[in-house]
Amino acid sequence: MPQRPEKGAGLDLWLSYLEALHPTEIDLGLDRVLMVLRRLFPRRPDARIITIGGTNGKGSTVAALERLLLDSGRSVGAYTSPHLLRYNERVRINGTDVSDEVLVSAFEAVEQARKNVSLTYFEFGTLAAFVALANAGVEDWILEVGLGGRLDAVNVLDADLAILTSVDIDHVAWLGNDRDTIGFEKAGILRPDQAAIYADEDPPRSVLQQAAAQRVQLKRYGIDYRVDNLGGSTRFESEGGSWQATWPTNRLPVKSLAAAVQAMRILSPETPSPLISESIGKVVLAGRFEQRGTSPHVVLDVGHNPHAARWLSSQVRELNLSGKVHAVYACLSDKDSAGVMAAMAEVVDSWYITSLDVPRSLPIDQLQQMAGSVLPAGCIVQTADNVASALRAAIADAGADDCVLVFGSFYTVAEAQKALAAP
């Protein structure tokens, strides 16, 4: 067993302790988490809980709903994962990342409560986030599911409102390899008679079956609410047009933003349209079509599966570039990298592929072999030792009107952010 950090230990020591505490990184199931939760919280936390699950679009939905609730005068805590540069990004109180001291205090509380119960890194961190949000006394908790839903640690709390952003193929080793099976896992966050939102077209049958069986008040995109592109702005309509809002077009997934607006329609129906428009216009999210340069354009995106890549490809097209697109790509070995590259092939002119400095990284030789089988003949593919060197090469080769697009993983974007920030 790893040595418990001594009193006064810093955040880095605690995170190292969490990494060594459980024999596996992912160990889906709620029994262990529930046992510790009941020791920490004999009663349900006194807050309104919104749980957000789905394959893609969760982070954008969290960011938009957080902004809307804050601007409407509510106090809000948010828990998301993974982080890009600092663990503190995972827990926000009223829009601000919590301090090291807040996290360490929460870790100490979980450590005392767990006794001999073994917890994964994510489970320990999730319970610590609950402690931090409870100690802050915020009115609304926005909780992002880490993986799946039914057996994810976040699901130990019953939500007042559940949002499923999308269901597509990802994490097949844990969730299954078809949308119906994955949808069953994602829909595990639903509860009887609960208000819920499905934020995409064509929900899997398993989601609709679970919603019907539990009499969930499910609001569906395209049926109960929708958005229209007005050319420079987006119009939201709900309940047959009786509730509308318009906001400036930005580079975040519009269905995620619409889900957050529909959530406000449920949670705070009196929210005025001008506040909706102003708030949504302010939403930004690091790593989601994050633009970091203009000559050439530099864009960072955490998209790591074919569904996310198709959205990313559509956003690149909307840039209406006069130049070329240079892709810096590195990914994890458990992702459908062939599907991602195929989805991006039509908009990318040259590739700079590399590997990541993490155990789960897809080795560069395998990625190069995959590129040869997926990309069109004659497509330019270069290799680099790491993301930073791949990014430097891409920027050096790019013209002023070109775009350097960095994507493939949270790790890929984090390494690019560090490289861009370096002197």
Side-chain angles (χ1 to χ4, degrees), residues 62-95:
V62 171
L65 183 55
E66 180 184 24
R67 184 75 267 155
L68 286 163
L69 288 168
L70 285 170
D71 288 352
S72 70
R74 302 281 293 186
S75 59
V76 184
Y79 172 55
T80 64
S81 64
H83 60 277
L84 283 168
L85 300 178
R86 299 174 66 239
Y87 188 92
N88 311 59
E89 298 166 23
R90 296 187 179 215
V91 186
R92 294 191 297 274
I93 302 296
N94 291 325

Side-chain angles (χ1 to χ4, degrees), residues 99-145:
S99 66
D100 288 7
E101 292 74 19
V102 166
L103 286 170
V104 167
S105 176
F107 287 153
E108 290 173 341
V110 175
E111 177 67 10
Q112 184 176 0
R114 77 173 184 90
K115 299 178 181 176
N116 62 344
V117 177
S118 181
L119 297 171
T120 67
Y121 178 93
F122 180 75
E123 291 167 346
F124 202 118
T126 298
L127 289 168
F130 295 169
V131 172
L133 298 185
N135 289 343
V138 291
E139 299 169 289
D140 293 324
W141 293 15
I142 307 176
L143 308 177
E144 179 186 350
V145 170

Side-chain angles (χ1 to χ4, degrees), residues 67-400:
R67 184 75 267 155
L68 286 163
L69 288 168
L70 285 170
D71 288 352
S72 70
R74 302 281 293 186
S75 59
V76 184
Y79 172 55
T80 64
S81 64
H83 60 277
L84 283 168
L85 300 178
R86 299 174 66 239
Y87 188 92
N88 311 59
E89 298 166 23
R90 296 187 179 215
V91 186
R92 294 191 297 274
I93 302 296
N94 291 325
T96 301
D97 297 346
V98 296
S99 66
D100 288 7
E101 292 74 19
V102 166
L103 286 170
V104 167
S105 176
F107 287 153
E108 290 173 341
V110 175
E111 177 67 10
Q112 184 176 0
R114 77 173 184 90
K115 299 178 181 176
N116 62 344
V117 177
S118 181
L119 297 171
T120 67
Y121 178 93
F122 180 75
E123 291 167 346
F124 202 118
T126 298
L127 289 168
F130 295 169
V131 172
L133 298 185
N135 289 343
V138 291
E139 299 169 289
D140 293 324
W141 293 15
I142 307 176
L143 308 177
E144 179 186 350
V145 170
L147 193 158
R150 182 175 65 93
L151 299 177
D152 186 86
V154 165
N155 200 35
V156 293
L157 291 179
D158 296 336
D160 297 286
L161 171 67
I163 302 175
L164 289 174
T165 56
S166 61
V167 174
D168 215 285
I169 310 300
D170 200 7
H171 298 296
V172 295
W174 295 281
L175 304 180
N177 57 9
D178 63 85
R179 290 183 73 239
D180 250 358
T181 304
I182 295 171
F184 175 81
E185 296 296 331
K186 301 286 186 185
I189 66 174
L190 301 177
R191 297 294 192 273
D193 301 312
Q194 177 193 56
I197 297 168
Y198 188 82
D200 202 4
E201 296 101 338
D202 189 27
R205 181 178 56 184
S206 56
V207 171
L208 298 180
Q209 286 175 335
Q210 287 203 64
Q214 300 189 66
R215 303 180 305 279
V216 170
Q217 304 159 46
L218 185 66
K219 300 296 184 182
R220 292 173 54 183
Y221 178 83
I223 295 178
D224 301 290
Y225 71 99
R226 64 187 179 92
V227 294
D228 296 311
N229 188 338
L230 301 180
S233 64
T234 299
R235 182 177 64 197
F236 171 96
E237 291 188 5
S238 177
E239 305 294 339
S242 63
W243 205 80
Q244 298 187 10
T246 304
W247 62 81
T249 298
N250 58 25
R251 291 293 178 186
L252 291 175
V254 67
K255 292 176 185 175
S256 293
L257 303 181
V261 176
Q262 176 61 27
M264 290 298 287
R265 172 76 178 95
I266 295 168
L267 298 169
S268 303
E270 71 286 354
T271 306
S273 292
L275 185 148
I276 297 286
S277 179
E278 181 181 355
S279 297
I280 293 294
K282 293 188 296 187
V283 177
V284 293
L285 183 62
R288 175 53 79 193
F289 212 83
E290 178 184 352
Q291 301 188 50
R292 296 289 294 266
T294 56
S295 183
H297 299 276
V298 178
V299 175
L300 315 179
D301 193 273
V302 297
H304 53 267
N305 55 47
H307 184 264
R310 290 191 291 272
W311 176 85
L312 180 58
S313 176
S314 72
Q315 296 307 297
V316 173
R317 287 190 182 91
E318 289 186 13
L319 288 175
N320 294 317
L321 295 167
S322 58
K324 296 181 178 181
V325 176
H326 309 269
V328 174
Y329 180 58
C331 62
L332 300 178
S333 59
D334 58 349
K335 300 301 177 184
D336 181 6
S337 49
V340 169
M341 296 181 88
M344 297 298 296
E346 289 188 9
V347 298
V348 173
D349 297 286
S350 60
W351 293 78
Y352 300 75
I353 60 175
T354 185
S355 58
L356 300 165
D357 188 23
V358 295
R360 289 167 55 205
S361 175
L362 182 67
I364 193 168
D365 57 336
Q366 293 184 31
L367 187 56
Q368 190 172 20
Q369 183 178 8
M370 198 169 295
S373 64
V374 171
L375 299 178
C379 184
I380 300 171
V381 180
Q382 300 183 40
T383 61
D385 292 336
N386 51 52
V387 171
S389 56
L391 178 57
R392 284 194 297 270
I395 291 176
D397 292 345

